[in-house]
Amino acid sequence: MTQVRADPHTTGTARFAMLHDTAEAMLESLAERYMVERRESKELLGPTEALVRMVRLIPRTPAAGPLAVAFTDFPGLMVRLGRWWAEALPACGCDDCGENPGELTEVLRTQIGALVEGGLWERVRRGVGGSWFETRLIAVGFSARREGPLTARDAREARRSGFAAPVQWAPWPRRI
């Protein structure tokens, strides 16, 4: 996960604070409705970054994909779905980009909803130049695909974990 940094061309970052409120409410609601373990810690997002609050929801079945949300000081979020899907909200936050916090909360809801409903698919591909991860996230009215390089170590670990073949994460188990 990459940290969102304050930019000298960024003013009024407080408008993104609603992302923290929305994420917290979603995490609480998900923990009440689904059979998950909630883990909270302080973690570094990178070697040169500050500690941030990290909340993980780990489904009680290993077939369902985990969710991790980091609350950055910007204020913003770093969201990880499954093994490789990562989303920075906002992606930039500068005045020129004009990212709308309301639209970003809808991105958060849509992507987390897709994970919870079993719409995340991931795999490792081997190529001439090395290994790559490939992810797809699908929900009603939403479909996205991403890929990126893996280190040799990460590729070996992923294949050992069952990602040599495509993995479609299962829906989260509901509480009864």
Side-chain angles (χ1 to χ4, degrees), residues 10-21 74-77 89-90 92-94 98-101 104:
T10 302
T11 59
T13 59
R15 70 186 186 275
F16 295 111
M18 71 183 292
L19 291 169
H20 282 203
D21 297 338
F74 181 73
L77 303 170
L89 299 171
C92 176
C94 78
E99 292 173 282
N100 179 315
L104 296 177

Side-chain angles (χ1 to χ4, degrees), residues 147-164:
E147 60 181 40
L150 290 172
T151 65
R153 180 175 163 251
D154 287 343
R156 277 190 306 278
E157 167 60 28
R159 283 191 288 278
R160 273 187 239 140
S161 300
F163 285 89

